[in-house]
Amino acid sequence: MNYMFEAGFLGTRAPFFMDMVTLIVVLLPLLLGGTVLLAKMGRYEAHKITQIALFVVSVIVVGYFEYGVRIGGGFDEFVKGSSLSHSFIFYFLIFHIIIAAITLFMWTKTLYFAPKDHFHVRPLEERVSPHVKMAKQTILWINATAITGIGVYILLFVF
């Protein structure tokens, strides 16, 4: 697993695994947009499969990230290269973790309750389902997680 700590490909001080995770974080909102389009086109089974797949991949990516951070020496090791204050980056990281935890809860809840909603029996125009409302909120949380995650990356490896 030494490849994880080789130089990344984004041109910063970040190791490979951080660049990989950051790339996936950037792509996630775009991929989610694609799954929403599937639902709007009435392709509900494809929407369901891609949503579950993105969720599972995201959880695996978080595990990969956590493993890399732990093996790489933890937050204190990564913050050493930044010109910004340790405490500023730490509090921003805590903010990001809170948003990410809420996102995990929301996304899990949205996936869990989706089959119970039976939204596929009503035309899209008539739909104001609990699933759609919850999904819109979840997408906002996922976007906030992506934005703050990119922020953490920038604070640690650009400045």
Side-chain angles (χ1 to χ4, degrees):
M1 292 281 234
N2 288 338
Y3 78 91
M4 289 178 69
F5 301 100
E6 291 178 8
F9 51 86
L10 294 178
T12 67
R13 294 185 307 274
F16 174 82
F17 86 93
M18 284 287 192
D19 283 2
M20 182 58 69
V21 168
T22 300
L23 177 63
I24 293 167
V25 165
V26 167
L27 292 175
L28 183 60
L30 301 172
L31 295 170
L32 284 169
T35 68
V36 170
L37 287 176
L38 288 172
K40 288 185 177 191
M41 295 184 317
R43 300 186 58 204
Y44 301 118
E45 191 62 27
H47 170 71
K48 174 184 171 183
I49 291 167
T50 56
Q51 278 289 327
I52 292 169
L54 282 175
F55 179 81
V56 170
V57 167
S58 295
V59 170
I60 291 169
V61 166
V62 168
Y64 176 70
F65 166 79
E66 287 296 327
Y67 174 76
V69 169
R70 300 296 174 251
I71 297 299
F75 171 75
D76 287 334
E77 188 62 34
F78 291 109
V79 79
K80 286 179 184 176
S82 179
S83 64
L84 300 173
S85 79
H86 180 281
S87 60
F88 174 75
I89 299 172
F90 177 77
Y91 288 120
F92 190 86
L93 176 63
I94 295 299
F95 177 65
H96 165 70
I97 291 170
I98 291 167
I99 289 173
I102 293 168
T103 300
L104 178 62
F105 172 77
M106 292 292 294
W107 201 355
T108 303
K109 184 176 168 185
T110 300
L111 290 173
Y112 178 79
F113 286 110
K116 297 165 181 31
D117 190 32
H118 303 291
F119 65 88
H120 58 278
V121 298
R122 295 191 301 268
L124 184 64
E125 301 79 33
E126 297 174 12
R127 185 178 343 148
V128 184
S129 73
H131 173 70
V132 171
K133 288 179 184 175
M134 198 180 318
K136 287 179 178 179
Q137 292 173 352
T138 301
I139 288 170
L140 290 175
W141 283 103
I142 289 169
N143 287 333
T145 300
I147 290 167
T148 58
I150 293 164
V152 170
Y153 178 92
I154 291 169
L155 295 176
L156 287 174
F157 303 113
V158 175
F159 289 108

